Structure formats: structure tokens, C-alpha cells
Amino acid sequence: QLTQLADQSQTLATGVGTLSGGISTAASQASTVDSQVGGLVTQATTLDTAIGTQQTTAQQVNDGLTTAQTGSTALVDGITQVNGGATQLSSELTDSLTRVPSLTQDQRDSAKQVLASPADVQVTVDNPAVYYGRGVAPFFFGIAIWVFGIAVFLVMRPITSRALAGRASSARIAVAGWLPIVGMAALGSLVLLGVVWVALGLNPVNAGGSVAVVLLAAAAFTAIAHLLRTWLGMVGSAVTLVLLMIQLTSAGGLYPVQTMPAPFRAIHNFIPMTYLIDALRITFSGGPTDHLWRDVGVLAGFAVVAVAVCTFVVHRRRRFRMVDLYPALG
């Protein structure tokens, strides 16, 4: 019995050892399970965070889809309006097409010609000068008569001291000093007109008007020259020459007034040669009669004013000064 008891004790001890090993193994496995449970908790936390993020993203997607739905509704409305406009345009184009006339081949050819040359320019000259010389002849008539007014006083005196000391009136003295000069100027102007008429074929359309304008210009230009020479002496001839230079550039004898510089355009209407050139162009080649009468009136006004002022100058000069009693030599 003791032997059996010892054997059983030995078996019990062995079983206890085995149980202790199993308990140790179970404890080790429990620790492992605990570690794994901790990992699962961490993963569960991460999963919960990811789920929250996905929920937020899903909300944003939902908001975007709502906005897209609203935009698609507006797009549908716009497309509907465009469709309506396209339908109306198609209807109006169809209606317009029915109104377009059907052209024949001749009509098409005529339309092509019109489109190729949309403007037909026709130039009508009411008073042609034909030749360039005929157009500039009035300008050179003005130069010739004005230069005569300068040159004549190189050999003649405008008035004499004997006349100033006499009993004749100032007007008579002024006119008497001017008449021989205007007579020679008129004769020379008529000779010039005859030469260009007969030898060069001027053939003015208004012969009587041409003669009258030339004679009036001779009177006006010589009256101005006579006034300046009586008033200023030799300086007057220089002033007359300066006036000639001004009139050459401002009278519009060579170029249209509109193409001249502003200073020349400003004085164009205040110089006598302007009106002589315009009047002779009308009598030579034709033109408006009202312009001709205006030019004649202005030239006559220049002559009358020049003679009147010259009369006043003569009246002032009849009061002798020391310089008049002892004039400079030459």
C-alpha cells in the first residue's frame, strides 16, 4: 500500500507539474491575447477616425451634388432658352429667305458689276480753263500791273513841290499826280491783254468784262503805289515791293487757298490782288457773276480809299518843313 501510495504521489506530483506548466502557458497566452486586444483597440480607434473622415467627405460630396443639381437645373433653363431662340431665328431666317428675290443671270452680272465698282465718279467742270497758262494768266496780270506801279516812280515823281505851293486844292493835286500814272498803266495793261489774246489765244469768254477789270486793276494798284510813294517817299516803293511779295504768296494765284499756311489764309481776303485774280478768272473762263461784281466793288473801293487818303497826305504835306526845303541829295 505504501508503494502504491508513493506511486500515486509520484503521479500526482507529475500531474501537478504538468498543470503548473499548463498554467504558465495559459498565462503567457493570456498576455499575448491582451496585447492583441490592445492592437485591436488601436485599430478600432483608427477605423473610427477614418469613418469620421469618410463621413465628412461624404457630406461635402453631398453638398457638391446639391450644387451641381442646382447648376444643372439652371443649365437646362438656359438650354431651353437657347433652343427657343434658335427656333425663332430659324423661323425668321426661313421667312427672310422667302423675301429674297430670285435673280436672273443678267441681274447677277449687274450686281457683280456694282459690287466690283460701287462708286461711279463723274467730274463736271463748269468753267474749264483748258490750258494751265489760261488758269495762271490772271496771276501774272496782277504781278505785271503791280510791278508797273513800283517801276513808274523810278522815273516819275508822285507830286511836285511847285504843285504843293500852288493854289490848287489838295484833291486836284493828288488826282493830277495820279492820272498820268494810271493812264500809262491802263495803256500798258491793254497792250498786255491784246498780246495774250491775239498772239497766245486767250479768247476770254467775257471780253468787255476782261477789259474793264484790267483797267480797274490798273487804277487801284497805281492809286495804292501813288499813295505809298507820296506818303513815305522812297520808303514807299520798298513797302510796295514788300506788299507784292506778300500778295504773291497769299492771293491764291498758283495754289488753292485751302492748301496755304494759316498766316497766308488769314490775309488772303484783305489784299487787292486776290480780287483781281478772281475777277479775271471769271471773265477769262466763266464763273458766278455775283463774285465778279463783288471783286469789282472791292477793287473800286481800294482805288477810292487810296485816292482819298492820298488827298489827305497831300493836304498835310502842303505845310512845309525844313526837310522839305532842304531835301536830301539823291
Side-chain angles (χ1 to χ4, degrees):
Q1 293 180 348
L2 290 174
T3 302
Q4 291 178 352
L5 183 59
D7 291 336
Q8 292 177 352
S9 299
Q10 185 63 37
T11 300
L12 180 61
T14 301
V16 171
T18 300
L19 178 61
S20 176
I23 292 171
S24 297
T25 301
S28 176
Q29 290 178 352
S31 177
T32 301
V33 170
D34 182 65
S35 298
Q36 292 176 352
V37 169
L40 288 175
V41 171
T42 302
Q43 292 177 359
T45 303
T46 303
L47 178 61
D48 180 67
T49 302
I51 290 173
T53 303
Q54 292 297 326
Q55 184 178 6
T56 302
T57 304
Q59 183 63 40
Q60 293 175 350
V61 170
N62 181 63
D63 295 340
L65 290 175
T66 302
T67 303
Q69 183 180 5
T70 303
S72 63
T73 302
L75 178 62
V76 170
D77 294 339
I79 292 175
T80 302
Q81 294 177 358
V82 171
N83 182 55
T87 302
Q88 182 181 359
L89 177 61
S90 175
S91 175
E92 292 180 356
L93 288 177
T94 303
D95 183 53
S96 299
L97 182 62
T98 60
R99 298 180 183 179
V100 176
S102 179
L103 300 179
T104 63
Q105 186 60 40
D106 293 339
Q107 290 175 330
R108 292 193 186 99
D109 294 340
S110 177
K112 292 178 182 178
Q113 182 64 29
V114 171
L115 293 175
S117 301
D120 183 17
V121 179
Q122 296 182 352
V123 179
T124 302
V125 180
D126 294 331
N127 304 288
V130 182
Y131 303 109
Y132 181 75
R134 186 184 185 92
V136 298
F139 178 65
F140 288 101
F141 266 87
I143 295 176
I145 298 173
W146 193 274
V147 169
F148 174 83
I150 299 175
V152 69
F153 290 110
L154 298 178
V155 295
M156 295 183 64
R157 288 185 294 180
I159 55 175
T160 63
S161 300
R162 180 177 297 179
L164 292 174
R167 292 186 174 183
S169 64
S170 299
R172 184 176 179 180
I173 295 174
V175 172
W178 170 58
L179 284 179
I181 299 171
V182 70
M184 290 186 291
L187 179 61
S189 299
L190 292 177
V191 171
L192 177 61
L193 179 60
V195 169
V196 298
W197 191 338
V198 176
L200 301 180
L202 179 64
N203 297 325
V205 297
N206 186 347
S210 299
V211 173
V213 169
V214 167
L215 293 177
L216 181 59
F221 288 6
T222 54
I224 295 173
H226 184 256
L227 165 64
L228 293 175
R229 184 60 189 268
T230 303
W231 179 21
L232 302 174
M234 290 297 296
V235 177
S237 295
V239 173
T240 309
L241 181 61
V242 172
L243 288 177
L244 173 63
M245 298 297 103
I246 294 174
Q247 292 183 107
L248 292 180
T249 56
S250 306
L254 296 177
Y255 304 101
V257 180
Q258 293 77 9
T259 62
M260 296 189 300
F264 296 153
R265 293 199 306 269
I267 62 177
H268 171 75
N269 295 323
F270 301 98
I271 52 179
M273 195 177 291
T274 294
Y275 301 95
L276 170 62
I277 293 173
D278 187 59
L280 287 181
R281 282 175 175 171
I282 295 173
T283 58
F284 286 172
S285 304
T289 306
D290 57 335
H291 279 212
L292 177 60
W293 285 113
R294 179 204 64 185
D295 299 332
V296 169
V298 172
L299 289 174
F302 272 109
V304 171
V305 171
V307 173
V309 176
C310 186
T311 300
F312 175 75
V313 171
V314 169
H315 178 72
R316 293 292 301 273
R317 287 194 59 183
R318 301 187 78 173
R319 297 180 180 180
F320 288 95
R321 299 168 300 173
M322 292 300 297
V323 68
D324 297 322
L325 298 176
Y326 300 95
L329 296 178

